Amino acid sequence: MSLIAFLLRRAPAGVLLSALAGLASGLMTAGLLALVGRWAARPEPGGLALEVFFALCGAMFLTKVGSEQLFIRSSLKAVFELRMQLGRHVLAAPLRQLEEVGPARLLSALTEDVTLIAQALPFVSSLVVNLVLVAACLLILGMLSLPLLMALSLVLALGTVTYRALASEGVRRFEVAHRSQGILHEHLRALVAGSKQLKLHAGRREAFLQGRFGDNARALRDQLWAAIRLFVAGGQWGSLLFLGGIGLVLFVAPQAGWVEPPVRAAATVTLLYLMLPLGELLLAVHQLSRASVALDSLERLGLSPAPSAGAPPPPVPGASWRRLELRGVSHGYVQGGERTFVLGPIDFTLHPGEVVFIAGGNGSGKSTLLKLLTGLYPPERGEIVLDGRIITDADLEWYQQHFSAVFSDHHLFDGLYGISGPSWEAEARTQMARLGLEGEVRLHGRHFSTTQLSQGQRKRLALLVSLLEDKPLAVYDEPAAELAPGFKDFFYRQLVPELKARGKGVLIVTHDDRYFAHADRVLTLENGRFREASIASPARQ
Ligand SMILES: Nc1ncnc2c1ncn2[C@@H]1O[C@H](COP(=O)(O)OP(=O)(O)OP(=O)(O)O)[C@@H](O)[C@H]1O
């Protein structure tokens, strides 16, 4: 099973030790059963070796507890590693791949799929221990009566074949339900993100809840029920067969002469005991089947690390550079097999201390250009060249580290991650004061006291982080869109000239034509291409 392989890959020593302890525990239980069986078969009471009985009980308890604890530790380790690995894969995957998979599917994988796997892992241990117990019970029964063992094996084989047929159909239905779960996640995201609009419009709220959301939730409920019902039916059929097996021992076997009267009690005890591990096995198969669907789905996400992952360490912030060029670069989007938009080919050069504004209508490709320039989208055609070095796939990670960015859909982290240096705190406080953030947000160590802020405050906090990063190149996508006039002025008239004076290359997507005079060049994008030549050093307003 893929789940067992998954565990063995991540915690081989712990799983093997746990399996050995489980095996020992199963053997002790079988020994105990054999002992009790032999005692039950004696015509006279007494004669059970008490010390052997208690020794076996103690050993069974210790090996079982040891096996379970080792297994739980190994499972937790495996799940922790899976979470870390998924996090790394998400961050190492090319941005386009993440956009294509979509946030809902990613979140569903990182939360629900991992949880399903974590919850199912203890059942791997149960599978091992109970398989040993079943094998041991069959061995004991075989020693008591060979014909009985053969008849029971037939019953068990029939049960297994039927259960497998039902279970494989159940797994198929779990797969269908899993796809609905991904769609439900998308609707849940819409429900949370759109709660304001839904609150203000009762008709829309009901239409959404009863419509797409409710339809999908109902479909998921029905698909899960269809899948679980098959496993339950399989389990019930297995129990029925087994009761038939007990009937065999009690009524048919003695008459057929398969079981001698002295061992009939022992065979019945063993058979009755066998019901326990068989029941647990069925439960384990059910849980593990569901988790296997989740694991397969995680593997199907196919988050391949970008070719640049694991590249040389990033440069020290503030590293010097001389010239950045885009030579005939282009990038296109494909949706439903059709090219919907192409940016480029673009030729563009930026030098230290240069400030370039990018203007253009909605959908003209400004944000796409920023993603291309920063290496988040590798060019389909053309070259990015930094100081004469052509940026290859293997250089992308290194190249990306030159940029500090504030995107239009910027995520505000709750603290200053990755900001270091001897005077980072003093610098942070100074810049917070300049950006008017004092009194609105406080620094607790490296964490912000809050991120529950207005749009303008969030934008200023994002600018603060960008300033503290102190990278050689700064790109901003409509940074002043939500800023009040005073802060807009401060940004264009003070911050941007300061960045320029410090030799940064600055690229700003903006519609603020009042401030165009503060750029060395203003380039306008139109349908993915630059419309006109640069405006060199316009007169300051
Ligand atoms: N992830 C994506 N997948 C497919 N198409 C996309 C994607 N992102 C953008 N596009 C398309 O590419 C075109 C350019 O989008 P882009 O976001 O670069 O424009 P923009 O100039 O920044 O627009 P705006 O001023 O409205 O922010 C648009 O037609 C858009 O629909």
Side-chain angles (χ1 to χ4, degrees):
M1 257 182 159
S2 51
L3 217 61
I4 299 177
F6 157 82
L7 258 179
L8 275 172
R9 270 201 308 274
R10 283 172 176 77
V15 172
L16 287 176
L17 268 177
S18 156
L20 278 179
L23 184 73
S25 157
L27 291 178
M28 309 284 173
T29 314
L32 203 64
L33 266 179
L35 193 71
V36 172
R38 205 180 312 154
W39 173 79
R42 290 174 75 95
E44 300 297 324
L48 175 66
L50 254 191
E51 54 286 5
V52 178
F53 176 83
F54 282 122
L56 274 177
C57 280
M60 185 187 82
F61 175 77
L62 287 178
T63 45
K64 194 161 191 314
V65 168
S67 166
E68 277 175 2
Q69 294 213 352
L70 271 170
F71 196 84
I72 289 168
R73 270 191 67 128
S74 307
S75 303
L76 289 175
K77 176 174 181 282
V79 171
F80 164 76
E81 281 179 11
L82 176 66
R83 286 208 163 97
M84 294 301 287
Q85 185 191 346
L86 276 171
R88 278 189 201 293
H89 273 208
V90 167
L91 293 179
L95 182 64
R96 281 300 295 140
Q97 203 183 354
L98 295 183
E99 287 174 348
E100 273 155 22
V101 173
R105 170 107 197 271
L106 280 173
L107 273 179
S108 156
L110 293 170
T111 52
E112 254 165 80
D113 287 352
V114 175
T115 307
L116 267 178
I117 292 169
Q119 284 170 348
L121 283 180
F123 289 95
V124 176
S125 156
S126 159
L127 192 79
V128 174
V129 170
N130 287 300
L131 272 176
V132 172
L133 277 177
V134 169
C137 287
L138 289 180
L139 190 71
I140 294 171
L141 284 171
M143 281 167 18
L144 296 174
S145 156
L146 212 54
L148 180 66
L149 173 68
M150 284 160 71
L152 269 178
S153 301
L154 211 65
V155 169
L156 280 180
L158 184 64
T160 310
V161 169
T162 330
Y163 186 75
R164 271 187 70 103
L166 289 170
S168 59
E169 179 57 20
V171 167
R172 204 187 59 73
R173 295 192 186 199
F174 270 143
E175 280 165 358
V176 176
H178 193 270
R179 281 195 286 279
S180 297
Q181 209 140 5
I183 300 171
L184 189 68
H185 248 267
E186 267 178 48
H187 295 157
L188 282 170
R189 271 174 58 87
L191 184 128
V192 173
S195 60
K196 290 195 289 292
Q197 292 103 300
L198 293 175
K199 275 179 193 299
L200 291 181
H201 195 308
R204 181 189 298 143
R205 183 172 62 226
E206 280 314 298
F208 177 76
L209 273 178
Q210 293 302 328
R212 286 170 71 76
F213 182 81
D215 287 348
N216 191 254
R218 264 187 294 280
L220 178 61
R221 177 196 66 191
D222 296 343
Q223 286 153 1
L224 279 176
W225 171 232
I228 293 170
R229 206 170 42 183
L230 284 167
F231 282 95
V232 171
Q236 284 163 348
W237 166 241
S239 306
L240 191 69
L241 269 184
F242 211 70
L243 285 175
I246 293 176
L248 203 72
V249 178
L250 291 179
F251 303 108
V252 182
Q255 282 171 22
W258 292 349
V259 188
E260 298 302 323
V263 295
R264 203 181 302 159
T268 312
V269 168
T270 313
L271 205 58
L272 280 174
Y273 182 83
L274 191 51
M275 287 204 76
L276 280 177
L278 277 177
E280 302 244 325
L281 270 182
L282 295 181
L283 186 66
V285 171
H286 172 186
Q287 295 293 336
L288 293 175
S289 303
R290 203 165 167 194
S292 289
V293 171
L295 190 63
D296 288 348
S297 160
L298 278 183
E299 274 159 15
R300 270 203 309 276
L301 272 183
L303 294 180
S304 47
S308 56
V316 180
S320 64
W321 61 292
R322 297 182 307 281
R323 184 182 172 89
L324 170 62
E325 292 166 84
L326 300 186
R327 293 183 188 157
V329 294
S330 66
H331 179 87
Y333 295 110
V334 178
Q335 276 179 324
E338 263 184 49
R339 263 188 182 271
T340 49
F341 177 83
V342 178
L343 174 84
I346 295 276
D347 290 293
F348 172 73
T349 307
L350 190 67
H351 295 97
E354 212 177 355
V355 175
V356 177
F357 285 2
I358 305 288
N362 292 140
S364 57
K366 302 179 298 294
S367 301
T368 308
L369 174 64
L370 289 198
K371 290 177 191 161
L372 202 58
L373 183 83
T374 49
L376 290 171
Y377 287 167
E380 285 168 5
R381 298 230 171 100
E383 288 162 348
I384 300 178
V385 185
L386 182 63
D387 292 343
R389 173 176 174 173
I390 295 173
I391 303 304
T392 62
D393 281 351
D395 298 322
L396 267 181
E397 158 88 11
W398 168 81
Y399 171 76
Q400 288 165 355
Q401 307 309 310
H402 288 75
F403 292 88
S404 167
V406 176
F407 296 105
S408 51
D409 57 350
H410 202 74
H411 177 78
L412 189 59
F413 286 94
D414 60 356
L416 294 168
Y417 296 98
I419 304 290
S420 53
S423 55
W424 72 268
E425 197 169 352
E427 177 65 11
R429 292 190 193 284
T430 308
Q431 294 294 7
M432 280 176 85
R434 295 182 75 210
L435 286 160
L437 287 163
E438 268 186 342
E440 291 167 355
V441 186
R442 282 181 305 283
L443 262 183
H444 293 320
R446 285 176 188 275
H447 288 269
F448 300 132
S449 56
T450 179
T451 50
Q452 300 287 318
L453 298 163
S454 74
Q455 292 303 319
Q457 290 166 331
R458 292 170 68 85
K459 216 26 146 345
R460 280 184 275 141
L461 211 47
L463 285 170
L464 165 82
V465 177
S466 159
L467 291 174
L468 295 175
E469 282 175 353
D470 196 26
K471 300 281 190 88
L473 287 133
V475 296
Y476 299 127
D477 198 345
E478 303 196 34
E482 292 97 357
L483 297 187
F487 287 117
K488 223 176 229 194
D489 245 43
F490 172 70
F491 175 75
Y492 284 111
R493 294 184 199 277
Q494 287 201 40
L495 278 188
V496 173
E498 272 176 32
L499 292 171
K500 180 179 168 65
R502 287 163 61 195
K504 312 278 179 200
V506 183
L507 196 82
I508 302 175
V509 168
T510 176
H511 297 289
D512 289 323
D513 47 8
R514 269 189 65 208
Y515 298 99
F516 277 6
H518 292 270
D520 296 308
R521 280 181 289 158
V522 179
L523 301 174
T524 305
L525 268 175
E526 208 172 68
N527 206 14
R529 309 281 296 268
F530 282 137
R531 190 175 65 196
E532 55 191 280
S534 60
I535 303 167
S537 305
R540 296 283 140 99
Q541 282 184 346

